[in-house]
Amino acid sequence: MHMINTALILLIITQVKGIYSDSDVVDCNADLSDEELSQAIKLQTLDKYFFLIIPIIAFILTLIIMLSFIIYPKTWKMPGDIIFFISFCEALLCIHWLSTSIYFMINEISPLSDELFCQLNSVVSIFAGTGDVTYNLIFCLYVRITLKEQFVARKKLPLILHSIALFTMISVTLIAKLFNYNGLSLFGTCSLKYNPGFNFAGLVLVFINTFMSVYTMLYIKKAVPENQRYLNLIGKVTRYYSQYITAQFFIQLTQAISYILVGLNCTKFQKGWLLIFITIENSAKLCTPFVLSILRLRDPTIKRQILLIWKQFSSKSSIGISLLPEEQNLVVIAKTLLLDKVNTIVYSIQQIFQQDDYTENNSKVNYLFQKKYKINNQINESQQPLELDAKITQEEINEESQFIIPPEQDLDIELRLMASTIIIYAPKVFLKLRKKDCKVNNYSDSFNPIANQEQINSFTGPDGGKGGAFFFFTFDNKLLIKTISEQELLVIKKNLGSYFFHLSRNESLISPIYGIFKFVLLNGQESQIFIVMRNALQIPSSNVIRTYDLKGSEYQRKVLKQYDLKKDLTKTTLKDIDFKEQEGKLFIPENIKDLLKDNLIKDSKFFSELNLMDYSLLIIKMNWSTFSQNNLQMDINNQYQISKLFNSQLSCIPSIKEKGVYYHIAIIDYLQEWNAEKKIEQVTKKAINVKIDLDTSAQNPSEYAKRFIEKVVNTII
């Protein structure tokens, strides 16, 4: 076998020596003029025909892919737009290579670097080549973001990535032109100009692209669980992306090796037969649009689009994209992973909250939970009754416990769970806070994973406003899950003692936190901190009339336009100026005004003492008349009956102006400290608007509390 391989290598070398000669090798140590360079560098025979044939086929393939996205614009979203621009850049490169071959065949000599043809061709090559490399890197980055950061909303991600790509493409092209870096290259094409010595810049770029391809390929394998359900569901798609990125890796690796050998040959070896690596380098470049376009046609979404175009062409009639069965793609993989993570979190929270009842449960998971990890199982309600003012220690604040979800095959349940660990922060402290509101909340029932399946399966992803937080609302509208940052976790832990006593001793409007947890996947690829809070709605969102988020600021605190008044505003969060124009104030009974005002003032002063700001007063106008029609046992005129559903009578107050309407009230988003970031935000906005006294949302805590009391509390009540 070794003898056969040796014979083949010798045969190839013999054939190569017949095509390439030592006289064709350019001396990279010499400073050649444009005329000398044009004479010394020539497009090799094989390269000439490769550049003539392959770009035509590759151009047709890229055109087909671009056409599929143009005809079906609904697929024009990531990663479809990334693939479109990769194909567009590769189509330009095909034109560049084809024109290079035609020029050489006509003139039988390479163009001069400062010749118009070479200048234009090099601009196209640099612009399209930079775009191709940049968008391939962006594709790798997108795969990672999509599979990992699923609990964060990134609405501006497409704009950011495309802006980076366009800026890079234009900048590199302009720099090359301004500094005279464009012209005839060592590989016989007009691109980045030949310069004496070894070209390290191009090599570094190739290695960066190669590294990203390898990293992404390995990440896909780690991010997707290796169990039969996932292999059956999305194995084909995962294999496609792995094959695509693997092919990209080998193309980049071939270019890197060829690049090194070509550079060493022209600076040291000066061997004619090593010129074959110029052909290999050029062939690898051609493989980018040719081979990768063929692989892209196997992308489930693109394949589906091409099939639709073919059916439409053959039947000569319009065919809707919805008529073909939905194919699996990267978006579907990401959504499946997200839903399974949500399932796991909901199930874990239920199991943790079930321990609050101190009931015996012999399920396999609970046994592991209680015996191995000892979470709160030493407390017994009958032995140690909890009081609202029960003392908490620093040890309880710093305490952490764990709940483990073992690998899927070890569980005797049918839910789609992922092997993971849930870290529970300050479990005993939050147990006491849950006990405070246990008469209005059945925590484990709210997180029943079976009852929540409709909410889980209809979940589309995080949409938590400008902060991009992930929200999940339980099926009974009682509780919610919200993701928080590491910084917000530190804020809670630092102030947990004060927070506990304030909620225990006051009829606070602060939306209470009932637990802090950290979800960590077994493969270590993802971790996410989240909290469980009371949901201000408490009844279905279909009964919402208006929602207001009030901070006391008037700068950029208006949502409604004149024509918006005709739209359905039940799902729009309105702001301070909108409340002033639409409501004016809260129309509530006189006997509750002072109590509401006093407690809101206490809450705002409490936040000021903790150096917290940027909190909001959430006011939701709810139509309880509609709700009572579907719940006959509910008497909307019986305020006591309604108040029993809430942890405070101030959380749900009837309107004296509109019958059957109640105001649901809570303070939310209160984990923001007055830090350097907020100070910069305040100064920046004032500078942009050239107004030193601009009433921005960001203010130091004492000023924020003062404004909140004056412009929210004293104004609306």
Side-chain angles (χ1 to χ4, degrees):
M1 188 68 182
H2 291 293
M3 291 180 63
I4 295 173
N5 290 335
T6 305
L8 286 171
I9 292 170
L10 290 172
L11 179 62
I12 291 171
I13 292 174
T14 304
Q15 295 298 318
V16 165
K17 285 190 174 183
I19 298 174
Y20 305 100
S21 66
D22 292 351
S23 61
D24 291 333
V25 180
V26 178
D27 184 3
C28 290
N29 298 312
D31 190 3
L32 303 175
S33 66
D34 282 355
E35 289 77 11
E36 290 172 329
L37 199 62
S38 179
Q39 293 288 338
I41 296 176
K42 66 178 184 179
L43 200 62
Q44 302 298 328
T45 304
L46 288 176
D47 301 36
K48 182 169 55 178
Y49 290 107
F50 285 162
F51 279 3
L52 185 65
I53 298 169
I54 297 177
I56 295 174
I57 302 171
F59 181 79
I60 294 171
L61 292 173
T62 57
L63 205 61
I64 290 171
I65 292 170
M66 287 190 291
L67 187 64
S68 72
F69 286 107
I70 292 171
I71 292 176
Y72 296 107
K74 286 186 178 180
T75 57
W76 185 266
K77 58 182 179 181
M78 288 195 166
D81 52 353
I82 298 175
I83 299 299
F84 177 89
F85 282 112
I86 290 175
S87 299
F88 173 74
C89 291
E90 290 175 353
L92 290 179
L93 287 172
C94 289
I95 295 171
H96 154 72
W97 290 320
L98 182 61
S99 61
T100 300
S101 177
I102 293 172
Y103 182 96
F104 197 85
M105 285 183 170
I106 293 173
N107 297 282
E108 296 184 351
I109 190 172
S110 297
L112 296 173
S113 286
D114 59 357
E115 190 178 318
L116 180 61
F117 170 81
C118 196
Q119 286 293 303
L120 290 175
N121 211 13
S122 63
V123 167
V124 172
S125 172
I126 295 169
F127 181 81
T130 304
D132 191 38
V133 171
T134 305
Y135 270 111
N136 272 298
L137 289 173
I138 285 175
F139 178 79
C140 293
L141 180 63
Y142 169 77
V143 171
R144 182 189 178 279
I145 291 173
T146 302
L147 293 180
K148 181 176 182 180
E149 300 181 15
Q150 297 172 309
F151 289 101
V152 180
R154 299 187 180 275
K155 296 178 182 179
K156 294 183 179 179
L157 181 64
L159 177 62
I160 293 170
L161 293 182
H162 288 307
S163 298
I164 291 171
L166 186 61
F167 175 79
T168 305
M169 292 162 70
I170 294 174
S171 298
V172 172
T173 306
L174 287 176
I175 290 170
K177 182 64 180 173
L178 291 172
F179 291 93
N180 198 28
Y181 289 154
N182 61 320
L184 189 62
S185 74
L186 191 62
F187 298 93
T189 61
C190 291
S191 185
L192 289 173
K193 189 177 181 179
Y194 158 85
N195 282 298
F198 192 92
N199 191 339
F200 286 98
L203 184 62
V204 169
L205 187 62
V206 169
F207 270 113
I208 289 173
N209 218 351
T210 305
F211 170 78
M212 282 298 294
S213 298
V214 174
Y215 172 78
T216 307
M217 183 173 60
L218 295 175
Y219 186 82
I220 289 176
K221 292 182 178 179
K222 284 187 176 182
V224 180
E226 295 182 357
N227 58 55
Q228 195 58 46
R229 188 174 69 80
Y230 269 91
L231 291 176
N232 293 338
L233 178 64
I234 54 179
K236 183 171 66 174
V237 184
T238 308
R239 284 194 299 273
Y240 160 71
Y241 283 107
S242 295
Q243 288 169 2
Y244 179 86
I245 293 173
T246 302
Q248 189 181 29
F249 160 69
F250 279 113
I251 290 171
Q252 295 290 341
L253 182 63
T254 303
Q255 284 185 267
I257 294 171
S258 301
Y259 215 108
I260 293 171
L261 292 173
V262 169
L264 290 173
N265 188 43
C266 74
T267 53
K268 291 186 178 181
F269 303 141
Q270 294 288 306
K271 299 295 183 182
W273 66 272
L274 284 175
L275 290 174
I276 192 174
F277 287 101
I278 288 182
T279 300
I280 292 173
E281 167 77 10
N282 285 333
S283 300
K285 290 177 182 176
L286 291 169
C287 281
T288 301
F290 181 67
V291 175
L292 295 186
S293 289
I294 292 174
L295 285 174
R296 285 182 207 121
L297 291 173
R298 296 176 59 192
D299 179 286
T301 302
I302 297 175
K303 185 177 179 181
R304 181 166 176 256
Q305 291 167 198
I306 300 299
L307 182 59
L308 281 166
I309 293 171
W310 175 254
K311 283 181 174 290
Q312 185 174 338
F313 177 77
S314 59
S315 64
K316 296 183 180 180
S317 61
S318 178
I319 297 177
I321 194 165
S322 60
L323 294 182
L324 285 183
E326 181 67 36
E327 292 284 354
Q328 306 294 336
N329 54 34
L330 186 64
V331 176
V332 175
I333 295 176
K335 183 176 180 181
T336 304
L337 285 170
L338 177 60
L339 295 185
D340 286 1
K341 290 170 187 175
V342 176
N343 255 315
T344 305
I345 290 172
V346 170
Y347 174 81
S348 301
I349 293 174
Q350 187 214 27
Q351 293 298 306
I352 293 166
F353 285 171
Q354 272 188 353
Q355 308 308 306
D356 295 354
D357 299 325
Y358 311 105
T359 56
E360 294 296 326
N361 193 322
N362 296 319
S363 73
K364 187 173 183 179
V365 175
N366 278 331
Y367 177 80
L368 290 171
F369 174 67
Q370 293 176 344
K371 299 297 182 183
K372 188 173 182 179
Y373 299 102
K374 300 181 180 179
I375 304 176
N376 296 327
N377 59 343
Q378 301 95 339
I379 303 173
N380 184 286
E381 187 175 6
S382 60
Q383 297 173 350
Q384 187 175 340
L386 293 172
E387 300 175 1
L388 296 186
D389 288 334
K391 292 182 179 180
I392 60 171
T393 64
Q394 190 61 43
E395 183 181 355
E396 289 177 321
I397 292 173
N398 295 332
E399 182 184 2
E400 293 181 9
S401 302
Q402 290 184 338
F403 173 66
I404 301 289
I405 295 286
E408 190 175 31
Q409 60 269 25
D410 295 336
L411 294 174
D412 298 328
I413 52 178
E414 296 180 357
L415 291 172
R416 303 192 310 268
L417 304 180
M418 302 183 75
S420 55
T421 299
I422 302 291
I423 298 172
I424 310 165
Y425 295 98
K428 292 176 183 175
V429 176
F430 287 106
L431 172 65
K432 294 174 184 180
L433 287 174
R434 291 196 295 275
K435 287 287 289 183
K436 176 180 178 292
D437 293 337
C438 64
K439 290 183 179 180
V440 294
N441 293 318
N442 189 319
Y443 303 99
S444 61
D445 280 1
S446 291
F447 283 100
N448 183 315
I450 303 301
N452 278 290
Q453 280 306 298
E454 184 178 346
Q455 279 68 29
I456 293 172
N457 293 328
S458 62
F459 185 72
T460 56
D463 59 353
K466 66 178 182 180
F470 157 94
F471 282 91
F472 176 82
F473 301 89
T474 58
F475 77 99
D476 57 4
N477 300 288
K478 298 292 183 183
L479 303 169
L480 63 86
I481 298 171
K482 179 188 176 183
T483 56
I484 62 171
S485 64
E486 290 278 357
Q487 181 61 38
E488 288 173 317
L489 173 63
L490 293 176
V491 170
I492 299 175
K493 292 179 73 174
K494 182 171 67 174
N495 300 304
L496 186 53
S498 300
Y499 178 83
F500 172 81
F501 287 117
H502 182 80
L503 292 189
S504 299
R505 296 170 178 173
N506 296 285
E507 196 167 0
S508 174
L509 274 298
I510 297 173
S511 187
I513 297 171
Y514 295 127
I516 311 176
F517 311 91
K518 187 173 186 178
F519 170 73
V520 183
L521 278 176
L522 186 63
N523 61 15
Q525 290 298 305
E526 181 179 358
S527 65
Q528 182 61 59
I529 305 166
F530 61 92
I531 57 178
V532 172
M533 302 182 73
R534 183 180 74 85
N535 182 4
L537 284 177
Q538 295 295 302
I539 61 174
S541 59
S542 57
N543 300 289
V544 171
I545 300 173
R546 294 283 171 86
T547 302
Y548 296 96
D549 180 291
L550 309 182
K551 292 179 180 290
S553 170
E554 292 190 354
Y555 175 67
Q556 294 182 341
R557 299 296 294 172
K558 180 177 173 65
V559 175
L560 287 177
K561 303 288 190 291
Q562 190 65 34
Y563 53 82
D564 286 336
L565 296 176
K566 298 178 181 179
K567 295 182 179 179
D568 178 14
L569 299 175
T570 58
K571 296 182 180 179
T572 302
T573 300
L574 307 178
K575 299 184 179 180
D576 296 72
I577 297 177
D578 301 310
F579 183 88
K580 182 179 179 181
E581 293 176 351
Q582 300 301 313
E583 308 292 338
K585 65 176 183 177
L586 295 178
F587 295 92
I588 57 177
E590 289 293 331
N591 64 341
I592 209 166
K593 283 184 178 181
D594 288 341
L595 184 60
L596 176 61
K597 184 181 292 187
D598 290 345
N599 280 281
L600 283 173
I601 291 172
K602 284 182 184 178
D603 289 337
S604 57
K605 288 182 177 179
F606 168 69
F607 288 136
S608 178
E609 292 169 2
L610 298 185
N611 198 39
L612 299 178
M613 40 75 68
D614 217 19
Y615 44 89
S616 301
L617 182 65
L618 180 68
I619 299 175
I620 310 174
K621 285 181 66 177
M622 301 292 288
N623 190 339
W624 277 76
S625 294
T626 305
F627 177 68
S628 65
Q629 290 173 7
N630 300 319
N631 297 268
L632 299 178
Q633 74 279 12
M634 182 63 64
D635 181 6
I636 62 169
N637 296 314
N638 188 339
Q639 185 181 349
Y640 175 74
Q641 185 185 20
I642 294 175
S643 65
K644 287 197 299 183
L645 300 175
F646 295 83
N647 61 342
S648 166
Q649 61 174 325
L650 302 178
S651 298
C652 181
I653 305 174
S655 169
I656 59 174
K657 182 181 178 181
E658 301 171 87
K659 186 177 181 181
V661 172
Y662 279 72
Y663 298 105
H664 291 206
I665 302 173
I667 294 178
I668 60 170
D669 299 336
Y670 48 81
L671 298 178
Q672 177 62 58
E673 280 191 308
W674 177 242
N675 53 25
E677 180 184 348
K678 285 296 176 180
K679 292 175 184 177
I680 293 170
E681 177 188 329
Q682 182 191 51
V683 172
T684 303
K685 288 181 177 179
K686 288 182 177 182
I688 291 173
N689 290 272
V690 196
K691 191 176 181 181
I692 194 66
D693 60 344
L694 184 68
D695 187 27
T696 62
S697 176
Q699 298 284 343
N700 71 68
S702 60
E703 287 298 320
Y704 194 97
K706 181 181 176 182
R707 185 185 65 188
F708 187 83
I709 293 169
E710 289 179 0
K711 295 190 176 182
V712 177
V713 180
N714 292 335
T715 301
I716 70 171
I717 301 175

